[in-house]
Amino acid sequence: LAPAKAMYWALRADYFLKQKEPLAAIFDADVALELNSENARALRVRGEVYRHLHKWEESARDLNAAQRVDFNDKADEMLKFVQPRSNARRDRRRKAQLAEEEAREHERQAKQEEYRKRRQAEEEEEAAAKAAAQGAGGFPGGMGGGFPGMGGMGGMPGMGGMPPGMEGLFSDPEILEAMQDPD
C-alpha cells in the first residue's frame, strides 16, 4: 500500500468504477489528481464516472485533459459520445443566460421610460402651476385678468389694451406687493 502515490489512488478509483461505486471512484480520482494533476488514468476514470452521472461538461473536461496527457482509444470513443451533449448543455445555458440578460435590460428600459414619463408629468405640472401663478395677476388683491375684451391687463372695450412695457410692471412681485400695501 502506497497512499502517497497517485497511481495507487487512480487504480483504486478504476476498481470502484468497475464495482459501480461512482462516488468512491470520484473521491479516489480526486485524491490521485491532488497528488499528480496529470494522472491520465484518474482523469479518464473521473470522466467516465461523470459520463454515467450525466455530468456532460465535467466529463468532457476530464476526458479532454486525459487525452492531452496520454491518448487512449476508449477515452476517445467516450469523448465522441460526451462532447455533443456537453456542447448542447453549454448552448442551452448560454441561451438561458442571454434571455435573462435581455429580460433585465427590458426591465431596466421600462423603468427608465416610467421615470421619464413621471418626470415629464412633473415638469408639465410645474409649468401649469407657473402659468397659473403668472396669470393670477391683474388687480391688486389677486383679482383675475382685467376687463373682458381687452388683451393682457384690461381696460375699456375697444381700447387697444395695455401700453407696451406696462405688462412687465404688473408681473414684478415688488410692484404688486407695493400696490397691495395700503400704507
Side-chain angles (χ1 to χ4, degrees):
L1 234 42
K5 300 225 178 214
M7 187 52 69
Y8 164 76
W9 291 100
L11 286 171
R12 196 171 121 161
D14 196 17
Y15 169 77
F16 281 129
L17 174 64
K18 290 175 184 169
Q19 295 300 312
K20 297 185 180 174
E21 296 286 338
L23 297 179
I26 289 175
F27 177 81
D28 284 357
D30 287 343
V31 172
L33 292 169
E34 283 177 17
L35 296 171
N36 178 6
S37 62
E38 293 187 356
N39 189 311
R41 178 174 284 179
L43 287 166
R44 269 195 299 276
V45 167
R46 194 167 70 174
E48 188 173 350
V49 171
Y50 283 144
R51 173 187 172 250
H52 291 299
L53 296 175
H54 298 263
K55 293 185 175 186
W56 307 117
E57 293 174 57
E58 293 90 343
S59 178
R61 182 190 64 228
D62 284 345
L63 290 171
N64 274 323
Q67 292 298 83
R68 278 193 304 271
V69 173
D70 181 26
F71 186 82
N72 182 303
D73 290 330
K74 182 181 174 188
D76 191 48
E77 289 299 316
M78 276 190 282
L79 192 56
K80 287 178 182 175
F81 178 80
V82 167
Q83 196 68 48
R85 288 161 178 80
S86 173
N87 292 342
R89 181 164 290 170
R90 188 180 20 224
D91 290 344
R92 280 193 305 270
R93 188 171 52 243
R94 187 175 296 136
K95 285 179 185 177
Q97 192 176 29
L98 288 174
E100 185 178 313
E101 288 174 7
E102 282 182 23
R104 278 197 301 261
E105 179 65 22
H106 180 69
E107 183 179 331
R108 186 185 66 78
Q109 288 177 351
K111 284 182 180 179
Q112 281 183 338
E113 182 65 21
E114 179 183 333
Y115 174 75
R116 187 191 62 77
K117 286 180 180 180
R118 193 175 337 127
R119 182 67 187 139
Q120 184 178 8
E122 288 173 1
E123 288 174 357
E124 289 173 0
E125 288 175 12
E126 288 175 13
K130 277 186 179 179
Q134 288 177 351
F139 286 111
M143 297 286 294
F147 292 110
M150 299 298 285
M153 168 65 180
M156 301 297 283
M159 312 249 330
M162 201 179 305
M166 291 295 287
E167 292 175 4
L169 289 174
F170 288 110
S171 65
D172 186 9
E174 290 179 9
I175 293 177
L176 287 176
E177 186 178 320
M179 290 176 70
Q180 290 179 357
D181 189 15
D183 291 336

